[in-house]
PDB file of all heavy atoms in Angstrom:
ATOM      1  N   THR A 179     162.870  25.640   6.679  1.00  0.00           N
ATOM      2  CA  THR A 179     161.623  25.476   7.530  1.00  0.00           C
ATOM      3  C   THR A 179     162.155  25.355   9.022  1.00  0.00           C
ATOM      4  O   THR A 179     163.021  24.594   9.313  1.00  0.00           O
ATOM      5  CB  THR A 179     160.853  24.189   7.227  1.00  0.00           C
ATOM      6  OG1 THR A 179     160.433  24.182   5.899  1.00  0.00           O
ATOM      7  CG2 THR A 179     159.664  24.057   8.167  1.00  0.00           C
ATOM      8  N   THR A 180     161.502  26.213   9.872  1.00  0.00           N
ATOM      9  CA  THR A 180     161.877  26.234  11.302  1.00  0.00           C
ATOM     10  C   THR A 180     160.619  26.485  12.155  1.00  0.00           C
ATOM     11  O   THR A 180     159.662  27.017  11.520  1.00  0.00           O
ATOM     12  CB  THR A 180     162.933  27.199  11.652  1.00  0.00           C
ATOM     13  OG1 THR A 180     163.318  27.098  13.006  1.00  0.00           O
ATOM     14  CG2 THR A 180     162.553  28.576  11.262  1.00  0.00           C
ATOM     15  N   VAL A 181     160.637  26.068  13.403  1.00  0.00           N
ATOM     16  CA  VAL A 181     159.477  26.332  14.280  1.00  0.00           C
ATOM     17  C   VAL A 181     159.623  27.765  14.966  1.00  0.00           C
ATOM     18  O   VAL A 181     158.842  28.586  14.749  1.00  0.00           O
ATOM     19  CB  VAL A 181     159.371  25.233  15.345  1.00  0.00           C
ATOM     20  CG1 VAL A 181     158.127  25.571  16.270  1.00  0.00           C
ATOM     21  CG2 VAL A 181     159.087  23.906  14.670  1.00  0.00           C
ATOM     22  N   ALA A 182     160.825  27.862  15.726  1.00  0.00           N
ATOM     23  CA  ALA A 182     160.990  29.106  16.444  1.00  0.00           C
ATOM     24  C   ALA A 182     162.220  29.921  16.027  1.00  0.00           C
ATOM     25  O   ALA A 182     162.337  31.053  16.484  1.00  0.00           O
ATOM     26  CB  ALA A 182     160.976  28.834  17.960  1.00  0.00           C
ATOM     27  N   GLY A 183     163.167  29.276  15.340  1.00  0.00           N
ATOM     28  CA  GLY A 183     164.278  29.907  14.897  1.00  0.00           C
ATOM     29  C   GLY A 183     164.144  30.966  13.815  1.00  0.00           C
ATOM     30  O   GLY A 183     163.237  30.878  13.019  1.00  0.00           O
ATOM     31  N   ALA A 184     165.019  31.891  13.773  1.00  0.00           N
ATOM     32  CA  ALA A 184     164.956  32.958  12.668  1.00  0.00           C
ATOM     33  C   ALA A 184     165.523  32.293  11.392  1.00  0.00           C
ATOM     34  O   ALA A 184     166.333  31.453  11.414  1.00  0.00           O
ATOM     35  CB  ALA A 184     165.844  34.096  13.074  1.00  0.00           C
ATOM     36  N   VAL A 185     165.119  32.784  10.253  1.00  0.00           N
ATOM     37  CA  VAL A 185     165.513  32.304   8.937  1.00  0.00           C
ATOM     38  C   VAL A 185     166.109  33.488   8.081  1.00  0.00           C
ATOM     39  O   VAL A 185     165.402  34.517   8.059  1.00  0.00           O
ATOM     40  CB  VAL A 185     164.324  31.619   8.177  1.00  0.00           C
ATOM     41  CG1 VAL A 185     164.771  31.340   6.739  1.00  0.00           C
ATOM     42  CG2 VAL A 185     163.822  30.408   8.913  1.00  0.00           C
ATOM     43  N   GLU A 186     167.247  33.278   7.452  1.00  0.00           N
ATOM     44  CA  GLU A 186     167.731  34.285   6.560  1.00  0.00           C
ATOM     45  C   GLU A 186     168.302  33.554   5.276  1.00  0.00           C
ATOM     46  O   GLU A 186     169.109  32.642   5.362  1.00  0.00           O
ATOM     47  CB  GLU A 186     168.880  35.069   7.204  1.00  0.00           C
ATOM     48  CG  GLU A 186     169.408  36.159   6.287  1.00  0.00           C
ATOM     49  CD  GLU A 186     170.406  37.064   6.960  1.00  0.00           C
ATOM     50  OE1 GLU A 186     170.452  37.059   8.246  1.00  0.00           O
ATOM     51  OE2 GLU A 186     171.229  37.739   6.247  1.00  0.00           O
ATOM     52  N   VAL A 187     167.845  33.973   4.168  1.00  0.00           N
ATOM     53  CA  VAL A 187     168.224  33.455   2.890  1.00  0.00           C
ATOM     54  C   VAL A 187     168.646  34.576   1.999  1.00  0.00           C
ATOM     55  O   VAL A 187     167.923  35.462   1.751  1.00  0.00           O
ATOM     56  CB  VAL A 187     167.123  32.573   2.176  1.00  0.00           C
ATOM     57  CG1 VAL A 187     167.604  32.134   0.842  1.00  0.00           C
ATOM     58  CG2 VAL A 187     166.645  31.476   3.010  1.00  0.00           C
ATOM     59  N   THR A 188     169.992  34.394   1.490  1.00  0.00           N
ATOM     60  CA  THR A 188     170.524  35.425   0.640  1.00  0.00           C
ATOM     61  C   THR A 188     170.935  34.764  -0.687  1.00  0.00           C
ATOM     62  O   THR A 188     171.848  33.805  -0.509  1.00  0.00           O
ATOM     63  CB  THR A 188     171.648  36.143   1.225  1.00  0.00           C
ATOM     64  OG1 THR A 188     171.282  36.873   2.344  1.00  0.00           O
ATOM     65  CG2 THR A 188     172.261  37.211   0.199  1.00  0.00           C
ATOM     66  N   THR A 189     170.388  35.028  -1.804  1.00  0.00           N
ATOM     67  CA  THR A 189     170.792  34.394  -3.000  1.00  0.00           C
ATOM     68  C   THR A 189     171.260  35.379  -4.073  1.00  0.00           C
ATOM     69  O   THR A 189     170.650  36.397  -4.203  1.00  0.00           O
ATOM     70  CB  THR A 189     169.705  33.467  -3.610  1.00  0.00           C
ATOM     71  OG1 THR A 189     170.099  32.861  -4.817  1.00  0.00           O
ATOM     72  CG2 THR A 189     168.433  34.260  -3.866  1.00  0.00           C
ATOM     73  N   THR A 190     172.323  35.010  -4.764  1.00  0.00           N
ATOM     74  CA  THR A 190     172.811  35.785  -5.882  1.00  0.00           C
ATOM     75  C   THR A 190     172.405  35.296  -7.277  1.00  0.00           C
ATOM     76  O   THR A 190     172.733  35.783  -8.266  1.00  0.00           O
ATOM     77  CB  THR A 190     174.330  35.932  -5.883  1.00  0.00           C
ATOM     78  OG1 THR A 190     174.898  34.644  -5.950  1.00  0.00           O
ATOM     79  CG2 THR A 190     174.757  36.606  -4.560  1.00  0.00           C
ATOM     80  N   ALA A 191     171.578  34.210  -7.254  1.00  0.00           N
ATOM     81  CA  ALA A 191     171.102  33.588  -8.480  1.00  0.00           C
ATOM     82  C   ALA A 191     170.159  34.531  -9.206  1.00  0.00           C
ATOM     83  O   ALA A 191     169.239  35.096  -8.525  1.00  0.00           O
ATOM     84  CB  ALA A 191     170.426  32.204  -8.203  1.00  0.00           C
ATOM     85  N   GLU A 192     170.266  34.552 -10.506  1.00  0.00           N
ATOM     86  CA  GLU A 192     169.450  35.454 -11.313  1.00  0.00           C
ATOM     87  C   GLU A 192     167.967  35.035 -11.261  1.00  0.00           C
ATOM     88  O   GLU A 192     166.993  35.852 -11.122  1.00  0.00           O
ATOM     89  CB  GLU A 192     169.877  35.490 -12.685  1.00  0.00           C
ATOM     90  CG  GLU A 192     169.126  36.375 -13.601  1.00  0.00           C
ATOM     91  CD  GLU A 192     169.658  36.542 -15.072  1.00  0.00           C
ATOM     92  OE1 GLU A 192     170.831  36.468 -15.126  1.00  0.00           O
ATOM     93  OE2 GLU A 192     168.819  36.753 -15.968  1.00  0.00           O
ATOM     94  N   THR A 193     167.741  33.693 -11.327  1.00  0.00           N
ATOM     95  CA  THR A 193     166.447  33.088 -11.113  1.00  0.00           C
ATOM     96  C   THR A 193     166.463  32.137 -10.077  1.00  0.00           C
ATOM     97  O   THR A 193     167.357  31.331  -9.970  1.00  0.00           O
ATOM     98  CB  THR A 193     166.043  32.414 -12.487  1.00  0.00           C
ATOM     99  OG1 THR A 193     165.982  33.319 -13.475  1.00  0.00           O
ATOM    100  CG2 THR A 193     164.571  31.788 -12.301  1.00  0.00           C
ATOM    101  N   SER A 194     165.547  32.288  -9.094  1.00  0.00           N
ATOM    102  CA  SER A 194     165.491  31.392  -7.900  1.00  0.00           C
ATOM    103  C   SER A 194     164.164  31.029  -7.416  1.00  0.00           C
ATOM    104  O   SER A 194     163.172  31.722  -7.779  1.00  0.00           O
ATOM    105  CB  SER A 194     166.371  32.047  -6.793  1.00  0.00           C
ATOM    106  OG  SER A 194     165.715  33.307  -6.489  1.00  0.00           O
ATOM    107  N   LYS A 195     164.106  29.953  -6.716  1.00  0.00           N
ATOM    108  CA  LYS A 195     162.832  29.565  -6.049  1.00  0.00           C
ATOM    109  C   LYS A 195     163.195  29.414  -4.586  1.00  0.00           C
ATOM    110  O   LYS A 195     163.979  28.541  -4.148  1.00  0.00           O
ATOM    111  CB  LYS A 195     162.268  28.303  -6.590  1.00  0.00           C
ATOM    112  CG  LYS A 195     160.946  27.859  -6.064  1.00  0.00           C
ATOM    113  CD  LYS A 195     160.388  26.661  -6.691  1.00  0.00           C
ATOM    114  CE  LYS A 195     158.961  26.414  -6.324  1.00  0.00           C
ATOM    115  NZ  LYS A 195     158.694  26.185  -4.854  1.00  0.00           N
ATOM    116  N   VAL A 196     162.494  30.217  -3.728  1.00  0.00           N
ATOM    117  CA  VAL A 196     162.773  30.140  -2.278  1.00  0.00           C
ATOM    118  C   VAL A 196     161.436  29.948  -1.530  1.00  0.00           C
ATOM    119  O   VAL A 196     160.440  30.630  -1.742  1.00  0.00           O
ATOM    120  CB  VAL A 196     163.394  31.556  -1.829  1.00  0.00           C
ATOM    121  CG1 VAL A 196     163.654  31.553  -0.316  1.00  0.00           C
ATOM    122  CG2 VAL A 196     164.647  31.742  -2.583  1.00  0.00           C
ATOM    123  N   ASP A 197     161.528  28.998  -0.610  1.00  0.00           N
ATOM    124  CA  ASP A 197     160.427  28.726   0.270  1.00  0.00           C
ATOM    125  C   ASP A 197     160.872  28.837   1.725  1.00  0.00           C
ATOM    126  O   ASP A 197     161.794  28.109   2.110  1.00  0.00           O
ATOM    127  CB  ASP A 197     159.825  27.317   0.028  1.00  0.00           C
ATOM    128  CG  ASP A 197     159.056  27.288  -1.312  1.00  0.00           C
ATOM    129  OD1 ASP A 197     158.069  27.878  -1.432  1.00  0.00           O
ATOM    130  OD2 ASP A 197     159.571  26.539  -2.241  1.00  0.00           O
ATOM    131  N   VAL A 198     160.188  29.652   2.583  1.00  0.00           N
ATOM    132  CA  VAL A 198     160.582  29.707   3.973  1.00  0.00           C
ATOM    133  C   VAL A 198     159.301  29.590   4.795  1.00  0.00           C
ATOM    134  O   VAL A 198     158.241  29.998   4.428  1.00  0.00           O
ATOM    135  CB  VAL A 198     161.236  31.122   4.253  1.00  0.00           C
ATOM    136  CG1 VAL A 198     162.656  31.151   3.648  1.00  0.00           C
ATOM    137  CG2 VAL A 198     160.428  32.325   3.751  1.00  0.00           C
ATOM    138  N   ALA A 199     159.500  28.957   5.971  1.00  0.00           N
ATOM    139  CA  ALA A 199     158.299  28.689   6.809  1.00  0.00           C
ATOM    140  C   ALA A 199     158.788  28.715   8.291  1.00  0.00           C
ATOM    141  O   ALA A 199     159.816  28.135   8.600  1.00  0.00           O
ATOM    142  CB  ALA A 199     157.626  27.414   6.503  1.00  0.00           C
ATOM    143  N   THR A 200     158.012  29.293   9.093  1.00  0.00           N
ATOM    144  CA  THR A 200     158.274  29.286  10.543  1.00  0.00           C
ATOM    145  C   THR A 200     156.993  29.521  11.340  1.00  0.00           C
ATOM    146  O   THR A 200     155.974  30.027  10.689  1.00  0.00           O
ATOM    147  CB  THR A 200     159.284  30.432  10.869  1.00  0.00           C
ATOM    148  OG1 THR A 200     159.522  30.451  12.283  1.00  0.00           O
ATOM    149  CG2 THR A 200     158.773  31.806  10.465  1.00  0.00           C
ATOM    150  N   VAL A 201     156.993  29.294  12.608  1.00  0.00           N
ATOM    151  CA  VAL A 201     155.777  29.644  13.476  1.00  0.00           C
ATOM    152  C   VAL A 201     156.014  31.084  13.945  1.00  0.00           C
ATOM    153  O   VAL A 201     155.197  31.961  13.745  1.00  0.00           O
ATOM    154  CB  VAL A 201     155.627  28.625  14.581  1.00  0.00           C
ATOM    155  CG1 VAL A 201     154.576  29.022  15.506  1.00  0.00           C
ATOM    156  CG2 VAL A 201     155.335  27.292  14.025  1.00  0.00           C
ATOM    157  N   SER A 202     157.113  31.295  14.691  1.00  0.00           N
ATOM    158  CA  SER A 202     157.276  32.569  15.303  1.00  0.00           C
ATOM    159  C   SER A 202     158.587  33.284  14.924  1.00  0.00           C
ATOM    160  O   SER A 202     158.773  34.460  15.327  1.00  0.00           O
ATOM    161  CB  SER A 202     157.225  32.455  16.873  1.00  0.00           C
ATOM    162  OG  SER A 202     158.133  31.540  17.324  1.00  0.00           O
ATOM    163  N   GLY A 203     159.495  32.605  14.280  1.00  0.00           N
ATOM    164  CA  GLY A 203     160.748  33.249  13.989  1.00  0.00           C
ATOM    165  C   GLY A 203     160.686  34.218  12.877  1.00  0.00           C
ATOM    166  O   GLY A 203     159.780  34.118  11.978  1.00  0.00           O
ATOM    167  N   ALA A 204     161.590  35.202  12.801  1.00  0.00           N
ATOM    168  CA  ALA A 204     161.646  36.147  11.737  1.00  0.00           C
ATOM    169  C   ALA A 204     162.237  35.577  10.513  1.00  0.00           C
ATOM    170  O   ALA A 204     163.081  34.701  10.512  1.00  0.00           O
ATOM    171  CB  ALA A 204     162.496  37.410  12.234  1.00  0.00           C
ATOM    172  N   MET A 205     161.686  36.025   9.300  1.00  0.00           N
ATOM    173  CA  MET A 205     162.081  35.502   8.053  1.00  0.00           C
ATOM    174  C   MET A 205     162.696  36.683   7.265  1.00  0.00           C
ATOM    175  O   MET A 205     161.994  37.704   7.080  1.00  0.00           O
ATOM    176  CB  MET A 205     161.077  34.812   7.255  1.00  0.00           C
ATOM    177  CG  MET A 205     160.435  33.667   8.016  1.00  0.00           C
ATOM    178  SD  MET A 205     158.956  32.941   7.203  1.00  0.00           S
ATOM    179  CE  MET A 205     157.800  34.268   7.440  1.00  0.00           C
ATOM    180  N   ARG A 206     163.914  36.455   6.710  1.00  0.00           N
ATOM    181  CA  ARG A 206     164.510  37.572   5.856  1.00  0.00           C
ATOM    182  C   ARG A 206     165.055  36.981   4.593  1.00  0.00           C
ATOM    183  O   ARG A 206     165.738  35.973   4.624  1.00  0.00           O
ATOM    184  CB  ARG A 206     165.607  38.298   6.571  1.00  0.00           C
ATOM    185  CG  ARG A 206     166.237  39.452   5.839  1.00  0.00           C
ATOM    186  CD  ARG A 206     167.125  40.314   6.727  1.00  0.00           C
ATOM    187  NE  ARG A 206     167.527  41.532   5.997  1.00  0.00           N
ATOM    188  CZ  ARG A 206     168.777  41.704   5.596  1.00  0.00           C
ATOM    189  NH1 ARG A 206     169.735  40.771   5.894  1.00  0.00           N
ATOM    190  NH2 ARG A 206     169.165  42.749   4.966  1.00  0.00           N
ATOM    191  N   VAL A 207     164.628  37.536   3.402  1.00  0.00           N
ATOM    192  CA  VAL A 207     165.161  37.054   2.174  1.00  0.00           C
ATOM    193  C   VAL A 207     165.850  38.203   1.409  1.00  0.00           C
ATOM    194  O   VAL A 207     165.210  39.283   1.267  1.00  0.00           O
ATOM    195  CB  VAL A 207     163.982  36.472   1.268  1.00  0.00           C
ATOM    196  CG1 VAL A 207     164.464  36.033  -0.074  1.00  0.00           C
ATOM    197  CG2 VAL A 207     163.324  35.342   2.046  1.00  0.00           C
ATOM    198  N   VAL A 208     167.082  38.072   1.068  1.00  0.00           N
ATOM    199  CA  VAL A 208     167.826  39.097   0.321  1.00  0.00           C
ATOM    200  C   VAL A 208     168.086  38.720  -1.098  1.00  0.00           C
ATOM    201  O   VAL A 208     168.664  37.605  -1.374  1.00  0.00           O
ATOM    202  CB  VAL A 208     169.098  39.436   1.061  1.00  0.00           C
ATOM    203  CG1 VAL A 208     169.862  40.556   0.395  1.00  0.00           C
ATOM    204  CG2 VAL A 208     168.836  39.754   2.565  1.00  0.00           C
ATOM    205  N   LEU A 209     167.708  39.534  -2.072  1.00  0.00           N
ATOM    206  CA  LEU A 209     167.865  39.294  -3.500  1.00  0.00           C
ATOM    207  C   LEU A 209     168.687  40.279  -4.176  1.00  0.00           C
ATOM    208  O   LEU A 209     168.964  41.415  -3.656  1.00  0.00           O
ATOM    209  CB  LEU A 209     166.456  39.289  -4.136  1.00  0.00           C
ATOM    210  CG  LEU A 209     165.403  38.363  -3.489  1.00  0.00           C
ATOM    211  CD1 LEU A 209     164.066  38.518  -4.199  1.00  0.00           C
ATOM    212  CD2 LEU A 209     165.831  36.890  -3.645  1.00  0.00           C
ATOM    213  N   PRO A 210     169.295  40.000  -5.332  1.00  0.00           N
ATOM    214  CA  PRO A 210     170.023  40.980  -6.086  1.00  0.00           C
ATOM    215  C   PRO A 210     169.249  42.205  -6.426  1.00  0.00           C
ATOM    216  O   PRO A 210     167.921  42.060  -6.589  1.00  0.00           O
ATOM    217  CB  PRO A 210     170.588  40.188  -7.225  1.00  0.00           C
ATOM    218  CG  PRO A 210     170.452  38.669  -6.881  1.00  0.00           C
ATOM    219  CD  PRO A 210     169.316  38.636  -6.021  1.00  0.00           C
ATOM    220  N   PRO A 211     169.785  43.341  -6.623  1.00  0.00           N
ATOM    221  CA  PRO A 211     168.999  44.529  -7.032  1.00  0.00           C
ATOM    222  C   PRO A 211     168.395  44.263  -8.368  1.00  0.00           C
ATOM    223  O   PRO A 211     168.948  43.609  -9.288  1.00  0.00           O
ATOM    224  CB  PRO A 211     170.040  45.605  -7.017  1.00  0.00           C
ATOM    225  CG  PRO A 211     171.360  44.894  -7.271  1.00  0.00           C
ATOM    226  CD  PRO A 211     171.238  43.636  -6.506  1.00  0.00           C
ATOM    227  N   GLY A 212     167.167  44.836  -8.583  1.00  0.00           N
ATOM    228  CA  GLY A 212     166.427  44.720  -9.901  1.00  0.00           C
ATOM    229  C   GLY A 212     165.762  43.398 -10.032  1.00  0.00           C
ATOM    230  O   GLY A 212     165.244  43.163 -11.160  1.00  0.00           O
ATOM    231  N   THR A 213     165.858  42.455  -9.092  1.00  0.00           N
ATOM    232  CA  THR A 213     165.179  41.235  -9.340  1.00  0.00           C
ATOM    233  C   THR A 213     163.697  41.231  -9.128  1.00  0.00           C
ATOM    234  O   THR A 213     163.181  41.957  -8.293  1.00  0.00           O
ATOM    235  CB  THR A 213     165.746  40.214  -8.210  1.00  0.00           C
ATOM    236  OG1 THR A 213     167.149  40.042  -8.349  1.00  0.00           O
ATOM    237  CG2 THR A 213     165.079  38.817  -8.398  1.00  0.00           C
TER     238      THR A 213
END
Side-chain angles (χ1 to χ4, degrees):
T179 303
T180 181
V181 177
V185 173
E186 181 174 342
V187 177
T188 301
T189 178
T190 59
E192 182 176 327
T193 300
S194 59
K195 186 177 189 300
V196 177
D197 290 292
V198 290
T200 181
V201 174
S202 58
M205 301 174 289
R206 184 168 186 253
V207 178
V208 181
L209 306 173
T213 301

